Amino acid sequence: MDAIRTESITKRYKELTAVDHLDLTVREGELFGLLGVNGAGKTTLIKMLSCLAEPTEGDAYLLGYSVCREKNKIKPFLGVSPQETAVAPNLTVRENLNLLMGIHGFSKEKREEKLKELTDGFGLAPVLNRKAGKLSGGWQRRASIALALITEPKILFLDEPTLGLDVLARSDLWELIRALKGKITIILTTHYMEEAEELSDRVGMMKDGKLLAVGTPAELKESVGAEKFEEAFIKIVKGGVKQ
Amino acid sequence: MRTAWFSVRNAKEIVRDPLNLGFGLGFPLVLLLLLSAIQANLPDSAPTMFEISALTPGIAVFGLSFFTLFSALLISKDRGSAFLSRLYTTPLRPAEFILGYTLPLLPIALAQTAICYLAALPFGLHFSPSVLLVLVATLPNAFLYIALGLLFGSLLNEKQVGGVCGALLTNLSAWFSNIWFDPKLVGGWFYQIAKALPFLHAVELERAMQTADLAAALPHLWWVLGYGVGIFGLAVFAFFKQMKQ
């Protein structure tokens, strides 16, 4: 079964068409990278797929449910880690995790069990009792992804998860993302070439709201006769032609 | 339960911010201290400027005007940090967002008013059981100022909130409220504006309740509730609109 299928999905903001009649299919368990320069429409597409923005035209089906008509059926299966820091700054990491679990109606026993699981899985023990707003960017992103995984989502959206992080913090996050591969479907937006190539099973390249090319990193390089992934991206985006 | 979790989070965000405590509690108490000291040092022949029984409810309402700043800042920060986007993907319903931003501020407002009155006792405020009625009057007054915060927090960004709620609204609320001077003394259009705005009525409501004069309190209560409900309605509309955007 496809995890995500979009049908000519479009988003317009007055004169600007942020996503333009985009068709895309993502398989279950796949890590799909969305690559594009700033303003390509990646975040808008993620917002529509995660039910945060209404499509102007078209539709998308997540696990068979329509984002236009069946938001409430989809939401329990989604995890979202937005581009900007999405933590409550004056709450500790433990309180942030408990807050989200409480809002999702977890029992006390389930909260304790999940807290331990996420603390161990994400190595959060050193910062568990520190205010989230006082943590470094790397720790905040780590906590943010842990928050997105609280409900054991079937589809996880990671919007520019390593933006602005230093090399070590980025490497740590890559490890965490690799550990999730295959277990859930992940949509990762990035404008770092090496990140898309390193982590993704398949990559979609976007420009001006359009999906120009989709394939494995090797397929995309081969399609334009490029040796390096970055070279392939430049050729495809500058060419602006659908592959 | 979802509302309770969200409310507790909002209460923690507010009370853990030292600036909130400084402005919301410290500043009104300092004013109470200074104005009482001025009154104490006036010669006996001088007219009364800051009678403690009239000053205390005024200062308590002035303290509430900072609640607009607290709630507006909290919402605008949440909007700016994508924290709200995360919460929009949870089962929290629109009404639960509104309640979660409103309810936690009410007990904090009650505590602030109680502290203000306790601080006024050493300066000569006569304690009688009717003083406790002031706490009842605090609820509609706090609701009015929180509703203003919800409205501005839904419309403005963090920087704009600082200017509009931190500077403009607190001054507007103070000038037109009969805390520092009686607008009747200015007269004319100034007095008409003061009467048309809810701030003067909020102070008069507390003063009337302090003496258990319910007949005098009621007309002011309707003004405060009318403005509170109207502004709250606008705030809910503005919040839902930005939620959809």
Side-chain angles (χ1 to χ4, degrees), chain B residues 189-212:
Chain B
W189 60 268
F190 190 91
Y191 180 51
Q192 295 307 317
I193 291 175
K195 276 201 302 184
L197 290 173
F199 312 119
L200 179 144
H201 299 287
V203 174
E204 293 305 328
L205 171 63
E206 288 215 5
R207 283 180 181 153
M209 290 295 267
Q210 189 178 279
T211 54

Side-chain angles (χ1 to χ4, degrees), chain A residues 21-215:
Chain A
H21 296 90
L22 192 142
D23 293 309
L24 170 71
T25 302
V26 179
R27 295 185 282 267
E28 266 192 295
E30 190 174 28
L31 196 158
F32 190 89
L34 270 175
L35 193 59
V37 292
N38 290 336
K42 308 183 296 287
T43 297
T44 306
L45 178 59
I46 291 268
K47 281 186 175 172
M48 287 193 286
L49 295 178
S50 55
C51 305
L52 287 172
E54 294 266 356
T56 315
E57 257 181 61
D59 203 345
Y61 297 88
L62 276 71
L63 305 166
Y65 298 117
S66 156
V67 296
C68 295
R69 299 185 308 277
E70 297 166 296
K71 283 191 184 72
N72 289 338
K73 287 183 180 166
I74 296 174
K75 278 186 177 183
F77 300 113
L78 298 186
V80 181
S81 181
Q83 194 177 105
E84 304 92 9
T85 305
V87 290
N90 279 328
L91 264 57
T92 64
V93 173
R94 182 196 298 274
E95 287 170 335
N96 265 283
L97 291 165
N98 273 323
L99 168 68
L100 264 287
M101 288 190 275
I103 285 173
H104 279 101
F106 285 21
S107 66
K108 194 177 178 221
E109 292 74 28
K110 196 174 174 192
R111 284 203 307 273
E112 283 169 2
E113 187 188 315
K114 197 74 192 170
L115 185 69
K116 187 177 181 325
E117 183 190 318
L118 289 169
T119 304
D120 294 345
F122 282 79
L124 292 171
V127 297
L128 207 55
N129 294 315
R130 287 178 58 193
K131 282 186 184 174
K134 302 281 182 195
L135 300 177
S136 67
W139 279 112
Q140 286 194 9
R141 294 288 167 84
R142 199 181 268 239
S144 191
I145 296 173
L147 287 168
L149 288 172
I150 275 173
T151 53
E152 297 174 13
K154 290 192 172 177
I155 302 174
L156 175 64
F157 294 98
L158 298 175
D159 194 7
E160 305 271 9
T162 63
L163 187 69
L165 298 187
D166 63 40
V167 177
L168 289 178
R170 181 175 299 174
S171 161
D172 287 345
L173 266 190
W174 281 14
E175 284 307 312
L176 286 174
I177 293 167
R178 274 198 201 97
L180 294 170
K181 273 184 79 169
K183 294 176 187 165
I184 53 176
T185 307
I186 301 174
I187 309 296
L188 175 138
T189 74
T190 182
H191 58 246
Y192 296 123
M193 304 298 139
E194 71 279 17
E195 186 163 285
E197 186 178 16
E198 183 74 25
L199 297 175
S200 309
D201 297 315
R202 286 192 306 148
V203 175
M205 293 182 177
M206 286 186 73
K207 186 192 175 190
D208 298 333
K210 289 188 165 70
L211 192 62
L212 299 178
V214 179

Side-chain angles (χ1 to χ4, degrees), chain B:
Chain B
M1 277 307 284
R2 289 191 293 256
T3 307
W5 276 101
F6 187 49
S7 297
V8 168
R9 174 264 167 177
N10 292 333
K12 283 179 180 170
E13 288 282 354
I14 288 165
V15 298
R16 285 179 184 176
D17 189 333
L19 271 180
N20 286 347
L21 286 181
F23 274 100
L25 195 58
F27 192 43
L29 287 179
V30 168
L31 280 175
L32 188 73
L33 182 82
L34 285 175
L35 297 176
S36 299
I38 290 170
Q39 180 62 44
N41 286 314
L42 285 175
D44 290 342
S45 56
T48 303
M49 283 180 71
F50 302 113
E51 165 63 35
I52 194 73
S53 62
L55 181 64
T56 309
I59 295 279
V61 171
F62 180 64
L64 291 179
S65 69
F66 289 98
F67 280 64
T68 300
L69 181 64
F70 299 165
S71 58
L73 268 181
L74 181 63
I75 296 169
S76 61
K77 275 184 187 173
D78 282 352
R79 284 172 50 220
S81 71
F83 184 71
L84 266 185
S85 293
R86 181 188 289 290
L87 293 180
Y88 289 160
T89 65
T90 70
L92 264 179
R93 296 189 185 120
E96 291 169 330
F97 277 103
I98 298 292
L99 286 174
Y101 279 122
T102 308
L103 295 179
L105 283 161
L106 291 173
I108 301 173
L110 287 174
Q112 188 207 48
T113 301
I115 290 170
C116 205
Y117 271 79
L118 284 173
L121 290 175
F123 295 108
L125 180 75
H126 172 67
F127 181 82
S128 69
S130 65
V131 169
L132 294 174
L133 287 174
V134 169
L135 293 178
V136 179
T138 298
L139 290 172
N141 284 346
F143 175 67
L144 165 72
Y145 283 106
I146 294 165
L148 279 166
L150 278 174
L151 179 64
F152 290 124
S154 302
L155 294 174
L156 308 175
N157 63 35
E158 193 182 336
K159 202 176 168 186
Q160 292 167 326
V161 161
V164 171
C165 301
L168 189 66
L169 190 97
T170 45
N171 275 298
L172 203 68
S173 170
W175 294 343
F176 291 107
S177 63
N178 194 6
I179 300 174
W180 323 116
F181 58 89
D182 189 346
K184 265 186 201 163
L185 297 175
V186 183
W189 60 268
F190 190 91
Y191 180 51
Q192 295 307 317
I193 291 175
K195 276 201 302 184
L197 290 173
F199 312 119
L200 179 144
H201 299 287
V203 174
E204 293 305 328
L205 171 63
E206 288 215 5
R207 283 180 181 153
M209 290 295 267
Q210 189 178 279
T211 54
D213 187 349
L214 297 181
L218 268 181
H220 300 297
L221 177 66
W222 299 136
W223 272 96
V224 172
L225 275 181
Y227 263 100
V229 170
I231 292 166
F232 190 75
L234 284 177
V236 170
F237 176 75
F239 186 83
F240 288 171
K241 199 171 175 198
Q242 66 82 28
M243 195 176 178
K244 279 191 173 179
Q245 283 171 348

